[in-house]
Amino acid sequence: MSEHGIVRYGNSDICYTVIRSARRKKTIEITVDGAEGVLVAAPLAASSDDIRNVVLRRAGWILAKANWDAPAAQPKHFISGETLPYLGREVRMDVFHEDVPGVRIRFTHWAFDVRVPSDLDGEERREAIRSAFKRWYRRRAMDAVRKAAARWQAQLGVCPARIAVRDQRQRWGSCAPDGTLRFNWRIAMAEPLLLDYVVVHELTHLLHRNHSRDFWAEVERVMPEYRIRRQRLKEIGPRLSV
Ligand SMILES: [Zn+2]
């Protein structure tokens, strides 16, 4: 069973996973991992209030390190010629304002065709387009994650109870005690190799509910070069957003 918590800091929610260890005597230590989010290593005896307070005290540092609240490298105006990442490639968008009831996005020949109601403008227009893109990426992510899971689960000898795609800010994926794997829709923006790494990582949690040596050995068995993918995801992760 994994132990989770959440603290509110400014406008941000920081979700964290607690990993308790008998070997750890006193200190509570926080790490921020591109794939896993915020991990808190704590002694068995630490109370959840103690842990919460440490997370809250270090919230500024955690957010800076996670960088999840930073806007995409270039805030989008959603005008023709701008690009968004999809499967590791920058995809150009063409934006048309016309008499349509809502924002419509089509992806054809590696370009986004975006139709926007002509009565929308300013922040309202940007929000409507941003939401439409999020929905679009969510569907694509669901499809890509399902296919990847189907490819890898036989090699690992596991079967997830359920796969879901969510708008989670601080992590790429998670594995719930009931065997449900959840993925961040932004993973559809990354190269398929990186999506595969996140899928393998979460599938492996069905065998090892921790980041023990055995866990990483299993990841390495099916994906020998996982370290490179993990590092790359850390580097580009903060830029994958709309
Ligand atoms: Zn993990």
Side-chain angles (χ1 to χ4, degrees):
M1 289 279 272
S2 50
E3 183 183 341
H4 297 280
I6 184 164
V7 296
R8 182 100 186 138
Y9 182 79
N11 289 321
S12 304
D13 285 327
I14 299 174
C15 308
Y16 55 91
T17 304
V18 181
I19 301 146
R20 292 183 183 268
S21 153
R23 267 174 302 165
R24 188 168 280 276
K25 295 302 171 207
K26 278 198 185 118
T27 54
I28 294 174
E29 192 185 323
I30 299 176
T31 50
V32 179
D33 179 297
E36 282 301 306
V38 181
L39 303 176
V40 184
L44 290 178
S47 74
S48 26
D49 278 350
D50 289 344
I51 292 170
R52 216 185 117 78
N53 288 336
V54 172
V55 173
L56 202 51
R57 213 182 311 137
R58 306 215 53 199
W61 173 84
I62 291 168
L63 289 175
K65 186 132 171 77
N67 205 14
W68 282 97
D69 279 348
Q74 294 256 287
K76 299 294 172 202
H77 303 284
F78 299 108
I79 50 175
S80 294
E82 275 182 331
T83 62
L84 280 174
Y86 176 49
L87 301 178
R89 287 166 66 173
E90 285 297 325
V91 178
R92 181 197 151 92
M93 67 178 89
D94 289 300
V95 184
F96 304 95
H97 295 89
E98 47 184 56
D99 188 16
V100 284
V103 178
R104 258 185 28 209
I105 294 168
R106 276 192 310 164
F107 175 71
T108 42
H109 307 292
W110 281 93
F112 290 119
D113 176 300
V114 187
R115 307 281 159 158
V116 184
S118 29
D119 56 345
L120 288 181
D121 63 359
E123 193 46 43
E124 196 190 2
R125 175 186 165 278
R126 275 198 296 278
E127 251 333 293
I129 302 175
R130 196 174 288 126
S131 311
F133 266 113
K134 277 190 191 179
R135 286 194 300 275
W136 187 87
Y137 277 110
R138 261 179 109 122
R139 286 196 303 273
R140 296 298 176 123
M142 191 66 198
D143 194 44
V145 164
R146 273 188 197 287
K147 283 184 182 146
R151 274 201 313 277
W152 291 97
Q153 64 192 39
Q155 294 189 52
L156 286 154
V158 295
C159 184
R162 201 168 74 89
I163 290 176
V165 167
R166 293 185 25 182
D167 191 7
Q168 35 191 14
R169 292 183 73 74
Q170 282 149 347
R171 38 170 52 199
W172 288 110
S174 62
C175 175
D178 70 354
T180 299
L181 304 187
R182 293 191 175 84
F183 296 90
N184 188 326
W185 59 266
R186 293 173 181 82
I187 198 61
M189 294 181 148
E191 297 147 61
L193 285 175
L194 305 186
L195 182 141
D196 276 1
Y197 162 68
V198 175
V199 168
V200 164
H201 184 121
E202 298 309 331
L203 283 173
T204 305
H205 275 315
L206 295 170
L207 298 169
H208 304 281
R209 306 274 172 156
N210 49 38
H211 295 107
S212 60
R213 221 167 272 171
D214 288 348
F215 169 85
W216 290 114
E218 187 64 15
V219 172
E220 188 167 22
R221 184 181 70 77
V222 297
M223 189 176 275
E225 74 304 354
Y226 80 89
R227 285 185 189 83
I228 300 167
R229 303 192 193 196
R230 187 171 173 226
Q231 183 56 35
R232 170 110 183 108
L233 192 59
K234 267 187 197 168
E235 288 164 12
I236 66 154
R239 278 183 277 136
L240 302 178
S241 192
V242 267

